[in-house]
Amino acid sequence: MTLLNRAECSALRGIAIIGIFMHNYLHWLRPMVKENEYQFHEHNADRFWFILTHPDQDFIYHLFSFFGHYGVPVFVFLSGYGLYLKYESGTTESRNNGIWEFMKSHYKKLFPMMFLGFAVFAMVDWLTPGHHHWTWDAIIEQLTMTINLFPDPDHRIWPGPYWFFGLMMELYLVYRLLLYRRHWGWNVGLIICCMAIQALCWNDPEGDAINRIRYNFMGNMMPFGMGLLIARIQGSRFKVQGSNATFNFQLSTFNFIIAVTAIILLSFNFWTWLIIPLFVVIAHIGFIKMLSSIPAADILVRGLAWVGGISAAIFVCHPITRKIFIPISRSGDILDGLVLYIVATIMLAMIFKKIIATLK
């Protein structure tokens, strides 16, 4: 028995992509509190505390701007979870033809969606004010999904969200080289090493070192390793939950509340900020399991699962619609621009999904 069924995994993707594409719009607006995604900026944490204790009419927007990027650890967790079930659980595909074939197959899965989004964005970007000036080497790095490895990622990677493709290729390589069919201790050891490397940046939490680390696999090993570990230990250990819906609801609600509280409290210190992805994953799982325990919430779970089903397409096309509609919000009509952005992104994602399917 698995902790998360297929519908719940899709619903988790739905929640994660909602956070990501809302964050990637709102954090570009001047009034919004800025996030601590790649570096820990104490002034951002202080401003969030002020917003938290003095909420204004944009409070919900601030929350998406500050926390929305934590959808990334959820996707990373689900990637690790899915890799174990696919290649090691014995319930689905359990073989591959070596490291080269493994990496090539995953690159071929990612490339069509990334290429489509990048090509369309480049055209839209050039036709709209404030277009980016790409260099030939940055274009090659993006298309080969190696751009994360190069200096100054904040300015080199454009549009920003596409760094995720390079991250996934790194994690696939780490999994196949170091973790595939190995003792769970390798996983735990790698998580500890990667966390220790991040902790070494304590004296410069706003510096280039921590920034580059968090653009790459070392900054995302915790949620990825969690996915592998939970997939490994699940089964009989979770059977006790399935028999009592009331117990399921109470436990999931408790986990959700504790995790959300932890996420907020841990956001104000560099050392505690490093472990927030752990609680982000727990909060998302708790929320979905809580909804799954409420029959009346089934329509919400199915709605989130539907969004999760087009999450890859939303991810690659939302920079395109953002570039078109964000001037509306920047002029002062925040809600008008946001609604147009949401509607256009969903509609374009449905089209992109069909195109991507034909390219694979």
Side-chain angles (χ1 to χ4, degrees):
M1 184 175 183
T2 58
L3 171 65
L4 297 166
N5 59 39
R6 188 179 297 272
E8 289 169 338
C9 286
S10 292
L12 280 175
R13 292 188 188 93
I15 297 174
I17 197 60
I18 289 171
I20 289 170
F21 94 94
M22 290 288 285
H23 159 79
N24 281 332
Y25 186 91
L26 291 167
H27 83 139
W28 283 98
L29 303 180
R30 188 177 297 276
M32 303 308 160
V33 61
K34 301 304 182 284
E35 74 286 352
N36 288 329
E37 183 172 5
Y38 310 109
Q39 298 152 297
F40 182 80
H41 300 280
E42 189 171 351
H43 60 274
N44 287 349
D46 291 342
R47 180 144 190 265
F48 171 66
W49 177 252
F50 179 82
I51 293 297
L52 198 63
T53 54
H54 301 81
D56 57 20
Q57 70 275 10
D58 296 329
F59 182 70
I60 299 299
Y61 301 154
H62 289 300
L63 291 181
F64 275 114
S65 178
F66 191 75
F67 288 119
H69 67 90
Y70 283 120
V72 171
V74 177
F75 276 113
V76 171
F77 164 81
L78 289 170
S79 177
Y81 186 81
L83 282 173
Y84 184 88
L85 293 181
K86 182 174 183 178
Y87 293 107
E88 299 186 58
S89 68
T91 58
T92 56
E93 180 183 343
S94 59
R95 296 182 180 180
N96 60 66
N97 298 318
I99 296 174
W100 169 249
E101 290 298 324
F102 179 85
M103 295 301 297
K104 185 172 72 172
S105 68
H106 284 283
Y107 178 83
K108 289 170 66 177
K109 289 179 183 178
L110 295 178
F111 183 79
M113 66 180 80
M114 187 274 294
F115 181 78
L116 176 63
F118 186 72
V120 176
F121 177 84
M123 290 185 285
V124 171
D125 185 63
W126 184 258
L127 294 171
T128 52
H131 59 264
H132 180 72
H133 296 280
W134 278 284
T135 58
W136 66 268
D137 52 333
I139 295 172
I140 293 175
E141 291 159 12
Q142 182 64 70
L143 295 179
T144 56
M145 305 181 202
T146 58
I147 199 165
N148 306 49
L149 303 174
F150 293 88
D152 195 21
D154 286 344
H155 300 98
R156 194 171 190 83
I157 300 171
W158 186 252
Y162 292 175
W163 71 275
F164 183 77
F165 292 104
L167 169 64
M168 292 311 303
M169 290 303 295
E170 291 181 26
L171 290 171
Y172 290 143
L173 183 60
V174 167
Y175 168 73
R176 188 59 183 83
L177 282 177
L178 302 178
L179 304 176
Y180 174 65
R181 296 197 179 280
R182 293 186 184 270
H183 188 271
W184 60 265
W186 283 73
N187 193 344
V188 173
L190 189 55
I191 293 174
I192 293 173
C193 286
C194 291
M195 294 302 296
I197 291 172
Q198 293 181 71
L200 291 175
C201 300
W202 65 272
N203 61 337
D204 191 15
E206 299 182 12
D208 180 65
I210 187 67
N211 190 41
R212 293 188 65 182
I213 286 170
R214 289 177 71 88
Y215 266 106
N216 291 281
F217 83 90
M218 289 184 292
N220 295 271
M221 192 60 219
M222 176 184 284
F224 185 72
M226 283 179 63
L228 293 171
L229 288 172
I230 289 178
R232 180 187 292 268
I233 67 173
Q234 69 185 0
S236 60
R237 290 170 177 80
F238 296 113
K239 288 180 181 177
V240 66
Q241 281 189 287
S243 59
N244 191 316
T246 302
F247 173 77
N248 256 351
F249 175 77
Q250 292 174 344
L251 180 61
S252 300
T253 304
F254 176 78
N255 289 341
F256 173 69
I257 293 173
I258 293 297
V260 169
T261 303
I263 292 168
I264 295 173
L265 296 178
L266 297 177
S267 296
F268 305 100
N269 178 275
F270 171 78
W271 297 96
T272 56
W273 167 73
L274 294 175
I275 63 172
I276 288 178
L278 167 69
F279 294 96
V280 167
V281 172
I282 293 172
H284 279 75
I285 294 176
F287 182 69
I288 285 300
K289 300 302 287 187
M290 180 177 66
L291 290 182
S292 298
S293 303
I294 307 173
D298 180 64
I299 188 172
L300 178 58
V301 175
R302 287 190 282 115
L304 290 171
W306 180 83
V307 175
I310 60 171
S311 60
I314 289 175
F315 183 79
V316 297
C317 76
H318 81 271
I320 302 165
T321 51
R322 177 185 65 188
K323 187 72 192 296
I324 295 170
F325 293 109
I326 202 167
I328 300 173
S329 293
R330 282 178 168 166
S331 68
D333 299 319
I334 295 179
L335 184 58
D336 294 344
L338 183 62
V339 170
L340 288 171
Y341 165 71
I342 292 171
V343 173
T345 299
I346 293 174
M347 294 300 296
L348 187 61
M350 295 169 67
I351 297 171
F352 267 40
K353 183 179 180 181
K354 294 183 179 297
I355 297 173
I356 291 169
T358 64
L359 295 175
K360 289 185 176 181

